[in-house]
Amino acid sequence: MEGDGSGMQPSPEEEAEAQRKNCIFCHIISGQVQSKRIYEDESCVGILDINPANPGHVLLLPREHHAIMPQMADPDVRHLFVAAKAISASLLKALGAEGTDIFVANGTTAGQKAPHVMIHIIPRKKGDGIAAFDAKPKKAAPAELAAIAARLRPHAYRMMGKEPPAEKALGEAASPVPPQPTTMDAEFTEEKDTSDGMDGKDRKDGKGDDATVGLDDIAKVLFR
Amino acid sequence: MSECVFCRAAKGEIPADVVYEDERIFAFLDQNPVGAGHIIVMPKEHFPILEQIPDDIVGELFSVANRLSTAVFETLGAHGTNLLLMNGPAAGQKAPHAMLNLIPRFNGDGLDFSWKTKKLSEEEMSTVELQIKEHQPVIGLAEEKKGPVAQPQEPDQVGEGEGEENYLIRQIRRIP
């Protein structure tokens, strides 16, 4: 699929093709670039990270190129984590690890370093000096939690193809949160409706069009 | 009989800010988040560690978390998301009930999950490669010799009769 050369914005397909050509992890998967492969099947490949957090740090890569996990087909996501579980079990046995961290970063803001979906499976031992996942939690105000949950619920249920439950059926929620502005509201901006003709082709699960707009933006902008 | 507090939350016995739930999966806001919108996604059934969760529930768990990522992007305007499952105390697991963290990320949020990389020699790398291959990861290896994993009396006891997974639990606990 070639562009028409008129200088118009490349299509998502063209963007994806350009990413694939330049993606070192696609080259590793195809064998063009060397790696230490410790697992593979029809849909994913597990390699040793050459810059590991700990010895045995595995990168588990879907064979199909996607920039971020929400763009993957759902069956592939499920399979990927079933493979991650098997690899985790193997690391515990093979290396005497005392635990494993399973970590995914979607977007550079989240720490994603390369434009190919990957799961980090990091073997851990007490005193290994890895502080990456020691983030300090902070108590949240109940009213703010209730407000965030109320915002998320309808979208969450729709993502699962279900109708959100009637709000009054959720007995655990606090009494209705008055619509006061909170610091949370100040930080979050609503998704703009930026219909630009993208038709959600990347989303194999056929979920709504507007979902793709935000995800493709994140994937494109961050991985030119 | 004491019961895992997360099991009780999943049954609705303890209040939670639920984001999504169905017959198998329960997703709610962490009351002590590392960042705004921090969601816990967990199986309703009690499993202490990842390796004990049956494959179909593993798939379901992460499928839900992945789709919730999209909801987070759309609803909260997040610039990124992290999925983090801390498997075993040495990995940071604090709760006796296996769970996954879905953490929305925003520019300037002050969170940093990066790690310092270690430099391994070629020989060290090859040694590790061989060690792993001696215990070649195989899907379904430790699978389904269940025996239901009995609802534990104490939250962090293991069900019986599953030698492979008992080994993994001991490995993770490293009881000297």
Side-chain angles (χ1 to χ4, degrees), chain A residues 95-179:
Chain A
L95 306 178
E98 295 164 8
T100 53
D101 287 307
I102 315 294
F103 178 73
V104 176
N106 291 311
T108 55
T109 302
Q112 186 170 3
K113 300 265 187 308
H116 190 114
V117 171
M118 67 179 67
I119 301 177
H120 293 265
I121 305 164
I122 303 172
R124 298 293 310 275
K125 284 188 181 164
K126 282 206 169 61
D128 59 13
I130 293 177
F133 308 115
D134 293 350
K136 294 277 167 285
K138 290 199 284 260
K139 186 110 189 76
E144 287 187 1
L145 291 175
I148 295 172
R151 287 174 66 160
L152 280 169
R153 261 192 305 271
H155 291 261
Y157 278 87
R158 266 183 242 120
M159 281 306 305
M160 310 303 164
K162 298 181 179 174
E163 277 307 304
E167 285 298 302
K168 64 174 170 344
L170 295 164
E172 314 305 354
S175 51
V177 180

Side-chain angles (χ1 to χ4, degrees), chain A residues 36-41 48-58 68-72 74 77-79 81-111 113 120 122 124-126 128 130-133 135-140 142 144-146 148-149 151-153 155-157 159-160 162 170 172-173 184 187-191 203 205 207 210-212 215 218 222, chain B residues 12-24 29-34 36-37 39 49-56 58-92 100 105-109 111-120 122 125-126 128-129 131-143 164-165 167-168 171-174:
Chain A
K36 288 185 162 32
R37 194 172 286 215
I38 55 91
Y39 178 82
E40 67 181 311
D41 63 31
L48 290 183
D49 191 333
I50 55 174
N51 294 305
N54 262 340
H57 178 163
V58 171
I68 56 173
M69 191 169 280
Q71 293 174 319
M72 285 177 64
D74 185 64
V77 173
R78 291 169 185 259
H79 179 88
F81 283 98
V82 169
K85 168 191 158 187
I87 292 169
S88 173
S90 166
L91 295 180
L92 293 176
K93 285 178 276 180
L95 306 178
E98 295 164 8
T100 53
D101 287 307
I102 315 294
F103 178 73
V104 176
N106 291 311
T108 55
T109 302
K113 300 265 187 308
H120 293 265
I122 303 172
R124 298 293 310 275
K125 284 188 181 164
K126 282 206 169 61
D128 59 13
I130 293 177
F133 308 115
K136 294 277 167 285
K138 290 199 284 260
K139 186 110 189 76
E144 287 187 1
L145 291 175
I148 295 172
R151 287 174 66 160
L152 280 169
R153 261 192 305 271
H155 291 261
Y157 278 87
M159 281 306 305
M160 310 303 164
K162 298 181 179 174
L170 295 164
E172 314 305 354
M184 292 296 143
E187 285 172 43
F188 304 145
T189 55
E190 296 281 16
E191 272 296 319
R203 296 286 310 285
D205 60 3
K207 293 281 189 297
D210 41 34
T212 311
L215 296 178
I218 288 167
L222 301 170
Chain B
E13 292 169 15
I14 297 178
D17 294 287
V18 179
V19 171
Y20 172 78
E21 69 175 303
D22 58 28
E23 308 74 41
R24 301 207 284 178
L29 293 180
D30 193 330
Q31 289 188 331
N32 295 292
V34 300
I39 300 169
I49 59 169
L50 169 66
E51 285 75 10
Q52 285 197 303
I53 307 176
D55 285 353
D56 62 331
V58 169
E60 187 72 24
L61 184 70
F62 284 94
S63 164
V64 167
N66 186 44
R67 284 179 279 167
L68 287 179
S69 270
T70 300
V72 161
F73 279 127
E74 293 177 352
T75 314
L76 304 182
H79 305 128
T81 57
N82 291 114
L83 297 180
L84 172 61
L85 189 151
M86 294 182 283
N87 191 38
L100 171 59
R105 298 297 306 277
F106 302 90
N107 293 329
D109 62 15
L111 287 174
D112 182 5
F113 296 120
S114 63
W115 48 81
K116 291 219 318 267
T117 59
K118 296 188 161 110
K119 197 81 195 89
L120 263 55
E122 177 58 37
M125 289 286 287
S126 294
V128 167
E129 183 187 5
Q131 285 173 325
I132 295 173
K133 285 177 169 169
E134 274 169 31
H135 295 269
Q136 180 59 45
V138 173
I139 287 178
L141 187 58
E143 206 38 57
E164 172 84 4
E165 288 161 354
Y167 168 81
L168 293 174
Q171 191 75 347
I172 278 191
R173 300 292 149 101
R174 273 293 172 91

